[in-house]
Amino acid sequence: MTTSYAELPLVVPGPDSPSIEPGLVVASYQGTVNRYGAPTWPMAALIDNPSAPRETIHWTKFPDTTREEFRLIAWHMVNRALPDTFLVGKVPSWRTRQSAPSIYQAVLSWRTFAEWLDKRGITSLDACTEEIFHDYGLHLSRKRGTSRSTVGSHLTALTRLWAFDEGSVLPREIAEPPWNREGRDDYLPAATSSGGENATEPVSPDTMGPLLIWALRVVEDFANDILAAWAEKQRLTTRAAEAKSTPESRTLLKSYFNDLVERGQPIPTHDHPSGRRFALTYIAGIHGATHGQTGNVVGSRGSGMALEQYMLSNPGDCPLDIPITGLVEGKPWKQSLDFTEATAMMRHLGTAAFITLSYLTGMRPGEVLGLRTGCCPDPESGRHLIHGHVYKTATDENGNHRSEGELRDVPWVAIAPVVSAIRVLERIVPDGALLFDGAAHDFLTKRRFVGSVTYSSWRGRVEDFAAWASDLAQSLNRPHESVPADPNGAIGTERFRR
């Protein structure tokens, strides 16, 4: 099979050449592109898909002996496409140009191969004969705990290693892997299931039932309370940050603490890894004082009783002055909302919306995470429709993967709870932003994110939401609505659409 690069300029990248050629950098990317000789190659410059991971290739993790040979072939894989003839006889999922996450995974497979070569004293890809590939393929197939699909991915990555080396400006003349001509059966572990996404177990009804009940309650009944609590926390925090230390505010703080102690009332506190602490920001916010001045008053209060000892014996909450409107069977779901729990509740609100959208639309996780504000306009008549992008199956006219995705031909139909979830999310993120914009949903630290909340974050958020909902069920004397653990393991993100 011919893998000629005749239609492409053959160049030898130098140490200061870009690792990703400028014409391939997506328009939305605002960062820098590392040079060819850098120890790391961030893949973010190739990615427009908001939910795709932004991985980085670390060349220092390759053995010294073969690192530069693998680096050159990887540069070709990043910056060049294989000719169409390469696809002859391949399954439809093969592409002449891969997505950035697929390139990253291929290079990880190459690193595993490089380490195997190094342990056998093989110091150059020149020595990669058909027999070497045969031995490595058998090694993969016999490796305990490695699935058939994982081995298949490794074999595919090595086929690409051979193909891109053939088209390289400095080919190492790697032999064609035997499975490329003779098939893979001899190199794959025995099949244990049908494999693929459709083999994923659905969430158990015993788990999904109460999980969905609480997700819908949070979205439809509790959202206004949670958003109001978050706004009030932000107001108090801002007030404390912008306040000025004055003699009047100091006097007010002293009177406040004296009054609490004289009446035997609890002092607002919050949890800390080292124990209970004064809720200084909350106290400062409600009195219009600074955080620093509040701490100074706490530390220098001139009374016979140590205020800290009193606080430890009388720890109190930090109630927010907002009405509770959400009900569960006619009763308030909370007696009050607390300054210290507003951040966590906002996180749970976003998770409840994610669960609602994922389960009640059948979208893939990446499609949910790619939705933006305005995706579900109110119709003049008829049903609500969701207009979004598909990413997994998006290809260009040549059949190559399109990181930016493509508009779905047929919109999704949105039932009422789904519309409610979208409207809640549109109140959280800026206009035009992703509904699950990573920066907007980082309520604790407000770090700078590109794209949506990551898959790994959602796995943890869903499990945290289930635990929080179970605690809420117990507090409301509804133990039958606790969320039991799923017998098939963590709920994750992909199982909702099963």
Side-chain angles (χ1 to χ4, degrees), residues 235-400:
R235 187 188 71 82
L236 293 176
T237 301
T238 300
R239 188 184 186 203
E242 295 177 350
K244 303 294 183 183
S245 296
T246 65
E248 291 77 15
S249 59
R250 184 178 183 83
T251 300
L252 182 62
L253 287 169
K254 285 184 175 181
S255 298
Y256 169 73
F257 287 117
N258 285 335
D259 180 64
L260 290 179
V261 172
E262 289 172 2
R263 295 189 297 114
Q265 295 298 303
I267 290 180
T269 61
H270 68 90
D271 283 322
H272 188 272
S274 61
R276 300 298 292 182
R277 295 287 182 86
F278 289 96
L280 296 179
T281 301
Y282 170 78
I283 296 169
I286 61 177
H287 290 95
T290 68
H291 185 281
Q293 186 180 51
T294 306
N296 289 335
V297 170
V298 164
S300 62
R301 180 175 172 275
S303 73
M305 178 184 292
L307 188 59
E308 183 171 359
Q309 289 301 315
Y310 178 85
M311 177 272 291
L312 293 175
S313 300
N314 298 271
D317 298 327
C318 303
L320 295 169
D321 187 20
I322 59 172
I324 303 299
T325 62
L327 306 175
V328 177
E329 291 194 356
K331 298 180 180 179
W333 71 288
K334 285 270 193 180
Q335 294 306 307
S336 66
L337 294 177
D338 199 272
F339 180 91
T340 62
E341 65 181 355
T343 299
M345 286 194 300
M346 283 295 289
R347 190 170 182 263
H348 293 317
L349 178 58
T351 305
F354 177 81
I355 293 170
T356 301
L357 278 166
S358 299
Y359 188 73
L360 296 182
T361 64
M363 294 184 191
R364 293 183 174 91
E367 293 164 352
V368 173
L369 298 180
L371 296 176
R372 293 184 177 272
T373 62
C375 66
C376 184
D378 290 327
E380 294 183 3
S381 61
R383 297 182 175 183
H384 282 84
L385 300 176
I386 302 174
H387 302 272
H389 286 69
V390 293
Y391 295 94
K392 183 176 180 179
T393 58
T395 56
D396 61 20
E397 64 275 10
N398 297 315
N400 293 313

Side-chain angles (χ1 to χ4, degrees), residues 17-30:
S17 299
S19 59
I20 300 172
E21 291 190 341
L24 296 176
V25 177
V26 297
S28 61
Y29 182 66
Q30 300 298 316

Side-chain angles (χ1 to χ4, degrees), residues 70 73 109-110 112-114 116-117 120 122 124-142 151 154-166 172-184 186-188:
F70 279 103
I73 300 174
S109 291
W110 295 0
T112 302
F113 181 51
W116 183 86
L117 293 174
R120 282 150 185 77
I122 299 173
S124 174
L125 294 180
D126 296 344
C128 287
T129 62
E130 185 172 327
E131 290 73 23
I132 291 292
F133 279 122
H134 172 76
D135 291 346
Y136 185 64
L138 293 180
H139 162 75
L140 290 174
S141 69
R142 295 166 182 169
V151 173
H154 282 299
L155 299 181
T156 297
L158 293 175
T159 296
R160 288 190 177 274
L161 179 71
W162 160 74
F164 278 101
D165 176 65
E166 269 206 342
R172 308 310 303 180
E173 298 184 354
I174 298 171
E176 182 177 2
W179 54 80
N180 202 46
R181 298 190 314 272
E182 301 166 8
R184 301 182 172 201
D186 291 341
Y187 303 97
L188 295 175

